[in-house]
Amino acid sequence: MYPSAQAAIALIKQIGIIPGWDEYWDRYFLYELRDVDVDGGVAASSGRGAVLEDLGYIAAMYWPGPYAPIHALWSAVTMPALVLRARQEIMPGFGFILPAVEAERFAAAVPSARVVEIDANHYTHDDSITAIGAFLRTS
């Protein structure tokens, strides 16, 4: 929880996770925040369950050894799939949301998958939009 939307956004800006902050990101995070009934504060609107599911997937992806349990699910993907992989760490020294080896492993396991690497971090969006548009036009 944050005392205000402005305080939450100021903290995110201070972390430096988003290069080239502009009004788009102000609108994005204002949309993501919701009012809470405690002292007029705000909190992220993302559901706790969704966040925990993402964390569980990440933990499964980083399972020690060559056969992470999450890999067994990939055989169920039969439709065209696009994986966008950021070539830049989410923040310097913090690593990647999707390591290159996992993107390659997914592409090998899912014949309908296409992996596109974007010269960006997790939050940069321009090249992602182009890649998604190209994928939708050809899939």
Side-chain angles (χ1 to χ4, degrees):
M1 284 206 358
Y2 305 94
S4 68
Q6 293 74 25
I9 291 171
L11 179 61
I12 296 165
K13 283 181 183 179
Q14 178 184 347
I15 292 169
I17 198 166
I18 299 172
W21 188 285
D22 59 20
E23 63 278 352
Y24 167 84
W25 293 108
D26 286 324
R27 287 192 316 271
Y28 173 83
F29 284 105
L30 280 172
Y31 177 80
E32 167 63 13
L33 297 169
R34 64 177 169 80
D35 293 329
V36 292
D37 294 331
V38 180
D39 299 324
V42 299
S45 62
S46 300
R48 176 176 165 78
V51 172
L52 291 175
E53 181 180 343
D54 285 349
L55 291 173
Y57 186 89
I58 290 168
M61 187 172 60
Y62 287 99
W63 188 270
Y67 302 106
I70 202 71
H71 299 154
L73 298 176
W74 295 349
S75 63
V77 179
T78 58
M79 69 292 293
L82 174 64
V83 175
L84 295 178
R85 182 181 175 277
R87 277 192 232 136
Q88 297 173 16
E89 294 179 301
I90 190 161
M91 286 179 50
F94 279 76
F96 297 90
I97 300 283
L98 179 62
V101 67
E102 286 299 309
E104 293 165 10
R105 186 176 284 159
F106 183 80
V110 180
S112 62
R114 184 179 326 162
V115 176
V116 176
E117 292 203 344
I118 304 295
D119 189 24
N121 73 10
H122 181 69
Y123 288 99
T124 308
H125 54 87
D126 293 340
D127 291 340
S128 298
I129 293 167
T130 302
I132 293 167
F135 175 75
L136 292 174
R137 283 190 297 279
T138 60
S139 295

